[in-house]
Amino acid sequence: MTLVMGIVNVTPDSFSDGGRYLDAEAAIAQGLSLRAQGADILDVGGESTRPGAERVEPAVEQDRVLPVVRALAAAGSVVSIDTMNAATALAAVEAGARIVNDVSGGMADPGLLAAVAPTGADVILGHWRGPSADMYAKAEYGDVVAEVLGELARRMDAAAAAGIAPSRVILDPGIGFGKRGDQNWAALRGTRRLAGLGPRVLIGTSRKRFLAETLAAQSGGERAEVGEGRLDVGTAVTSVLAAQAGAWGVRVHDVASTVDALRVARAWEGEGRWTSPTRSP
């Protein structure tokens, strides 16, 4: 069964919910609420990776996320730490995180993979072509799927060289990261091929720009006019399609709508007709 990862942004500037949960107590309450709605994993981040975002000092990042990670883990939640910093990853695992979600795939901090290897934590390797401040500078592809698969395969090799077994690796094609418009749709259509590499696959489309562009174009409006409600519908639909293509997990802001959509899709197909190559988080 495809797992649902709920997003807990402890940031002032994330593209969708920046500032809502900057206070630790608010972030903890949000995480517990997402878990009650059906989230299998809570992904806690203290540094925005939205287009144009500037880097945050690891000390600031840790001040934001560690109390939240510690409290959610103590409450029995499976916690993932969304970070590109080795020091933050290690501190979060020590505080109870069981997964390190690095959108850069270990490229932003070359020491991250080696640092995480001895901890036993699972690692999400994202497809990345550069920092958020200049995210689209290298958004040029001949064959999006082939290039994303090739670059992620190299990140798997780097993880293995650092001592991280393939069984601990989760691959993320980085929807919205260094990809424009239809490039994201092409990458999504490659989900089944990505799953064929062997490791588990995580898909994150939640409220992203390409969904707003698609919905706005179909309704004749502007991207800015597409509200969260419509984006959450688009997220739920793409999450179901990702699950049908073999995704191990989907990463979302609005857990309830995606959990419901997955439940309905399973009922339509019949339980067990399509499940991802999953193991416990």
Side-chain angles (χ1 to χ4, degrees):
M1 184 180 299
T2 299
L3 304 181
V4 176
M5 175 183 282
I7 299 168
V8 183
N9 284 324
V10 196
T11 60
D13 56 345
S14 290
F15 75 91
S16 177
D17 55 3
R20 292 186 194 176
Y21 312 112
L22 186 57
D23 175 75
E25 292 303 317
I28 293 164
Q30 172 67 359
L32 294 175
S33 174
L34 294 180
R35 182 182 175 194
Q37 293 169 32
D40 301 289
I41 305 164
L42 300 175
D43 193 42
V44 179
E47 177 179 10
S48 174
T49 52
R50 64 174 174 78
E54 298 294 335
R55 296 301 310 272
V56 171
E57 289 296 324
V60 173
E61 181 186 31
Q62 290 168 40
D63 284 345
R64 292 173 179 174
V65 300
L66 293 182
V68 180
V69 170
R70 192 172 293 112
L72 292 176
S77 301
V78 176
V79 178
S80 168
I81 178 65
D82 180 358
T83 185
M84 295 184 284
N85 292 307
T88 301
L90 288 178
V93 170
E94 185 175 334
R98 292 166 56 183
I99 303 171
V100 175
N101 180 10
D102 182 355
V103 299
S104 79
M107 296 175 71
D109 184 342
L112 185 141
L113 296 176
V116 173
T119 70
D122 286 355
V123 179
I124 300 171
L125 303 175
H127 178 260
W128 192 75
R129 283 192 168 182
S132 297
D134 198 17
M135 182 177 291
Y136 300 116
K138 298 180 180 179
E140 300 295 335
Y141 299 85
D143 182 328
V144 174
V145 176
E147 291 175 49
V148 168
L149 265 61
E151 290 166 35
L152 283 176
R154 289 193 286 275
R155 300 320 303 156
M156 288 172 56
D157 291 343
I164 299 172
S167 61
R168 292 169 56 192
V169 171
I170 301 157
L171 298 179
D172 179 348
I175 302 303
F177 288 87
K179 300 170 189 68
R180 300 182 185 275
D182 287 346
Q183 293 170 340
N184 294 291
W185 290 113
L188 286 172
R189 287 191 289 271
T191 298
R192 198 173 299 278
R193 288 175 60 186
L194 182 57
L197 290 179
R200 295 161 287 166
V201 173
L202 176 71
I203 298 294
T205 62
S206 191
R207 298 178 182 172
K208 290 191 174 176
R209 177 181 299 185
F210 80 105
L211 284 178
E213 290 172 345
T214 297
L215 295 172
Q218 291 175 350
S219 62
E222 297 294 329
R223 189 182 75 218
E225 297 173 1
V226 179
E228 284 186 2
R230 292 180 67 194
L231 290 174
D232 289 336
V233 171
T235 299
V237 172
T238 50
S239 294
V240 166
L241 294 172
Q244 291 174 327
W248 162 85
V250 291
R251 182 179 181 273
V252 301
H253 294 86
D254 182 39
V255 166
S257 63
T258 290
V259 167
D260 284 348
L262 289 168
R263 185 178 294 121
V264 169
R266 285 194 295 270
W268 178 285
E269 296 288 344
E271 289 288 342
R273 284 285 300 280
W274 50 267
T275 55
S276 63
T278 154
R279 68 182 181 86
S280 299

